[in-house]
Amino acid sequence: MKFTLSWLKDHLETEADVHQIAEAMTMAGLEVEEVLDPAAKLAPFTVAKIVSAERHPNADRLQVCQVETVDGMKEIVCGAPNARAGLTTIYAPIGAYVPGLGVTLVEKPVRGVVSNGMLCSASELELADESDGIQELPPEIPVGTPVAGLFGAEPVIDFEVTPNRPDWLGVAGIARDLAAASVGKLKHFDIAVVRGAFPSPISVRLEAPEMCPVFAGRVIRGVKNGPSPAWLQKRLTAIGLRSINRLVDVTNLIAYDRARPLHVYDLAKLSGTEIVVRGGQASAETGEAEHLIALDGKTYAVSPADCIIADAGGERPIGLGGVMGGESTGCDDDTTDVFLESAWFDPLVIAQTGRALSIHSDAQYRFARGVDPVSVTPGLELATRLILDLCGGEPSDIVFVGEPPANPAPFAFDPAHVKRLTGMDLADDRIGTILGQLGFLVQAAPAGRAEPWVVTPPSWRRDVEGPADLVEEVARIEGFDSLPDVALPPVAVPAGGVLNPRQARVRTARRALASLGYAEAVTWSFTKQSTAVLFGGGDDRLVLENPIAADLDCMRPSALPNLIQAAARNAARGFADAALFEIGPIYLGDGPKDQRTVIAGLVASHAARHWEGAGETPLFALKGDLNAVLEEIGAPVASLQLVQGQNRDWWHPGRSARLQLGPKNVMVEFGELHPRILKALDADGPMLAFEIVLDNVPEPRGKAGKTRGSADLSAFMPLTRDFAFVVEDAKPAGDLVRAASGADKALIADVRVFDVYRGKGVDEGFKSVALEVVLQPRDATLTDAEIEALTAKVVAAVEKQGGRLRA
């Protein structure tokens, strides 16, 4: 919404300048976007007079002019056909920016002759849409006069209108709020009734009162249309509207001045004597929707949800009610008789029509937000008076059909609410004055009685529904800068930590995975039912009745499908390297006890194509990450059993395993995902993943929150001993590691696998597993005998697991 300061002063007596007005609007809750000052844009341009004009020696269509300017006599090359001696025009000096051309003038030769400036047209200064030559000014204007003053260029305020304030779409509504904010005094104008000289030859029939509850109009005959007077053209062009003709310009003026859209029909182009307001119709023969060629030249197919203005007994559509008129009945310079329309259309209908047909006209913008129903007749009277003043003519009686919607209902209001909700300590008289200036009818209780007020909102404020709305009105008019500064009450520090053990573990796991290079993914807790079936879910009890999307219709039984699809989406966009994790719920049944929290991770990269040739190294790397996370969250890593061959169907056989605390407590599943699963999810493999069931990870023993003690570091150097054990090929190396570690928990600090060998020297079906055992003395350096005794313990412990020391 745009308006000029002079336009505002038609409704508001004020001495404030444009910047003070913008500041007051901001403080009153109107969001000012920009203050446009065309005078600043025109500041370099002044009046000049051409003293002589001679043909350019090197160009037939150019003239070399001697020009009297504010900077003295200048030689300027000009190509305008109307450049001649004695012409008073507009001069732009070197260095000036010409907005219509988008260039800054520099001193340069034009066909060999240096031009010391430029003579400008109105379009080059964006004062007109087009020009035939340089601007011709009255000869009596003195040389050096600023051009900005001649064209009446004045600042324009551009502000954003919130959907709940359609009254701000008229300059009169803005003036009302500014007057209440003490920026000036509101001017009140009585709209005179224009008496009809004859009965209206056009009648109106409402077939769709739910779309258009009330419709008024009148005929004005004998008008003389044509270009609007200068003041009207200037007012419209200043806010970016194109002047069309007097009749159309009057309707545009009232739409912006009073937030009251109108429409005018050429009476000679109407068919019949009745206008019908109805919904859109389909052809009885073909079933096709009827079409309307609108004033913008486009053809629209309308539906029964659109409001149609029709003539010819309701058969021919001539306009989209509240949106745009039809081309067939538009007014032009030959129009002599018109029918002027002023109606009220349901905002929801108009909003839906605008969205469905992608029409965003000024009328649609206003009606969709809610025009004041009481303005139907006053708007018609005001437009009639302007048309008679500008075009002449004779009006008919007003045709008025329908019933406007009821005015807002009154409600009780206690002025003490203002202090209670805002802290502002305002007198009741001040509160009543603000509401009264905004148009609210305030009926206070009789003197000596403590009953609340009864407040009735005005017809243009249907957004006000209760006391809180009135408090907001008082606060914004009094000024939000008047709100008292009050410190928030102190909040007691909780006695304990804010995170429970589960939450603390989740945070620890999140940080651990991030430090390992994994990126966190946040996906839906839903998936497609067919995908859930692939991961052991898809139970009908977990299918959503009202899913947000067709492919998110089932609660997920695992976090892995969402991570697989996230990695696939990244790969499809050129980012195949992915290390993702997610911590969230999975659903195994329809009860709360069947919900689990999991920590899931997935790795996919270009290198994954070569995993098969690289042996088991990537899988061991994944297991290393997994162990690091388990240690961080306090899982009993040393007690976990590694079991192969018992993973579920979505894991690759022979390349996956599980970690468990006995057969009934499976804590982790990890490994390579089955190619069949990846293909079903349109993902390129291979991919490695793990899923930790956080609910199955026992909490560390001891009191929660107990701090870790000081490091117990030995003063003696550690030493290592290497062993190679031959075991069956199916025997997990982890079993050997645990056995060796338990041989002497006091002295053995660590056991690591550093080689696995199959081949010559090792029987078929067996493998050689090489272990490095780290011994850490505590009290004294170990003697050879102690080392030999410890070595024997390690060998004996591994032999119990089926291992045989390799010679």
Side-chain angles (χ1 to χ4, degrees), residues 38-39 42-43 45-47 141 145-154 234:
L42 297 176
F45 304 95
T46 55
V47 173
I141 301 177
T145 302
V147 170
L150 294 178
F151 289 91
E154 60 176 319
K234 174 185 172 183

Side-chain angles (χ1 to χ4, degrees), residues 670-681:
F670 71 98
E672 184 178 333
L673 291 162
H674 201 292
R676 172 181 57 83
I677 297 296
L678 299 181
K679 183 178 180 181
L681 297 181

Side-chain angles (χ1 to χ4, degrees), residues 525-545:
S525 295
F526 325 117
T527 188
K528 196 173 183 179
Q529 187 179 16
S530 58
T531 301
V533 171
L534 297 175
F535 287 81
D539 193 314
D540 289 341
R541 296 174 301 169
L542 297 178
V543 175
L544 303 178
E545 292 184 0

Side-chain angles (χ1 to χ4, degrees), residues 198-438:
F198 57 93
S200 172
I202 300 295
S203 61
V204 177
R205 174 159 49 94
L206 296 180
E207 289 187 356
E210 70 282 0
M211 296 181 174
C212 176
V214 60
F215 191 107
R218 76 187 331 161
V219 169
I220 306 177
R221 62 190 183 191
V223 301
K224 184 177 181 181
N225 201 11
S228 295
W231 70 266
L232 182 51
Q233 293 189 37
K234 174 185 172 183
R235 177 151 291 183
L236 296 178
T237 55
I239 61 172
L241 293 180
R242 181 171 60 92
S243 176
I244 299 175
N245 55 52
R246 296 174 194 171
L247 292 170
V248 176
D249 288 355
V250 164
T251 61
N252 287 335
L253 176 71
I254 295 176
Y256 277 81
D257 188 72
R258 303 298 177 104
R260 162 35 66 184
L262 303 161
H263 188 66
V264 60
Y265 302 88
D266 189 328
L267 188 63
K269 298 176 182 178
L270 290 176
S271 178
T273 61
E274 184 183 44
I275 285 179
V276 179
V277 183
R278 59 171 172 81
Q281 298 176 350
S283 171
E285 298 177 357
T286 64
E288 294 182 358
E290 61 183 340
H291 291 74
L292 170 73
I293 302 176
L295 286 171
D296 60 1
K298 299 179 181 179
T299 301
Y300 298 97
V302 297
S303 72
D306 302 319
C307 184
I308 297 299
I309 311 297
D311 64 359
E315 294 297 322
R316 184 182 72 151
I318 59 173
L320 278 168
V323 178
M324 186 175 292
E327 188 178 69
S328 61
T329 56
C331 296
D332 52 34
D333 290 348
D334 297 327
T335 299
T336 57
D337 301 327
V338 297
F339 180 78
L340 182 62
E341 167 199 301
S342 179
W344 191 87
F345 300 93
D346 182 79
L348 184 59
V349 172
I350 303 306
Q352 291 174 338
T353 296
R355 285 193 294 269
L357 301 180
S358 297
I359 301 179
H360 305 287
S361 65
D362 286 339
Q364 189 272 340
Y365 186 80
R366 284 162 171 77
F367 277 120
R369 282 156 179 77
V371 173
D372 180 9
V374 177
S375 68
V376 170
T377 300
L380 185 64
E381 298 282 15
L382 182 59
T384 301
R385 174 51 58 194
L386 283 171
I387 291 174
L388 295 179
D389 291 342
L390 298 178
C391 306
E394 184 180 32
S396 74
D397 295 332
I398 292 177
V399 178
F400 189 98
V401 293
E403 186 70 28
N407 287 331
F411 54 84
F413 175 69
D414 186 349
H417 283 322
V418 174
K419 182 174 179 59
R420 184 172 62 85
L421 296 181
T422 69
M424 291 180 172
D425 194 3
L426 302 179
D428 290 358
D429 288 346
R430 174 58 180 159
I431 297 172
T433 298
I434 291 175
L435 295 178
Q437 289 177 322
L438 291 175

Side-chain angles (χ1 to χ4, degrees), residues 11-264:
H11 298 277
L12 185 71
E13 293 180 7
T14 181
E15 299 298 325
D17 61 26
V18 66
H19 297 290
Q20 292 171 327
I21 293 294
E23 176 66 19
M25 290 174 62
T26 299
M27 296 309 298
L30 289 88
E31 184 181 350
V32 176
E33 295 279 347
E34 188 179 10
V35 177
L36 307 169
D37 191 356
K41 183 173 61 176
L42 297 176
F45 304 95
T46 55
V47 173
K49 181 169 291 188
I50 301 176
V51 177
S52 66
E54 299 180 358
R55 188 172 65 85
H56 193 290
N58 301 319
D60 293 339
R61 296 186 179 182
L62 298 179
Q63 296 187 75
V64 179
C65 303
Q66 302 300 321
V67 183
E68 181 185 357
T69 73
V70 69
D71 300 322
M73 194 66 68
K74 297 287 184 180
E75 185 174 75
I76 298 175
V77 178
C78 181
N82 61 333
R84 61 187 184 275
L87 178 65
T88 301
T89 187
I90 299 173
Y91 159 68
I94 297 297
Y97 176 77
V98 183
L101 300 178
V103 298
T104 299
L105 299 181
V106 296
E107 186 176 311
K108 66 177 183 178
V110 180
R111 296 289 185 90
V113 178
V114 175
S115 183
N116 298 287
M118 178 179 176
L119 301 179
C120 303
S121 67
S123 61
E124 288 167 339
L125 300 188
E126 295 184 339
L127 297 172
D129 292 335
E130 55 186 26
S131 302
D132 295 331
I134 57 176
Q135 182 69 28
E136 299 191 17
L137 299 173
E140 62 271 14
I141 301 177
V143 171
T145 302
V147 170
L150 294 178
F151 289 91
E154 60 176 319
V156 176
I157 296 177
D158 184 6
F159 72 100
E160 187 69 26
V161 178
T162 55
N164 66 317
R165 292 303 303 272
D167 56 307
W168 282 345
L169 291 170
V171 179
I174 302 164
R176 183 189 302 111
D177 277 28
L178 290 174
S182 303
V183 179
K185 183 180 179 181
L186 186 66
K187 298 179 181 179
H188 294 280
F189 298 98
D190 292 328
I191 299 176
V193 174
V194 180
R195 297 188 178 278
F198 57 93
S200 172
I202 300 295
S203 61
V204 177
R205 174 159 49 94
L206 296 180
E207 289 187 356
E210 70 282 0
M211 296 181 174
C212 176
V214 60
F215 191 107
R218 76 187 331 161
V219 169
I220 306 177
R221 62 190 183 191
V223 301
K224 184 177 181 181
N225 201 11
S228 295
W231 70 266
L232 182 51
Q233 293 189 37
K234 174 185 172 183
R235 177 151 291 183
L236 296 178
T237 55
I239 61 172
L241 293 180
R242 181 171 60 92
S243 176
I244 299 175
N245 55 52
R246 296 174 194 171
L247 292 170
V248 176
D249 288 355
V250 164
T251 61
N252 287 335
L253 176 71
I254 295 176
Y256 277 81
D257 188 72
R258 303 298 177 104
R260 162 35 66 184
L262 303 161
H263 188 66
V264 60

Side-chain angles (χ1 to χ4, degrees), residues 655-688:
R655 301 179 190 173
S656 58
R658 60 170 54 172
L659 297 176
Q660 62 186 37
L661 287 172
K664 293 184 178 181
N665 187 359
V666 178
M667 191 181 302
V668 184
E669 289 188 353
F670 71 98
E672 184 178 333
L673 291 162
H674 201 292
R676 172 181 57 83
I677 297 296
L678 299 181
K679 183 178 180 181
L681 297 181
D682 197 22
D684 292 331
M687 292 183 182
L688 300 180

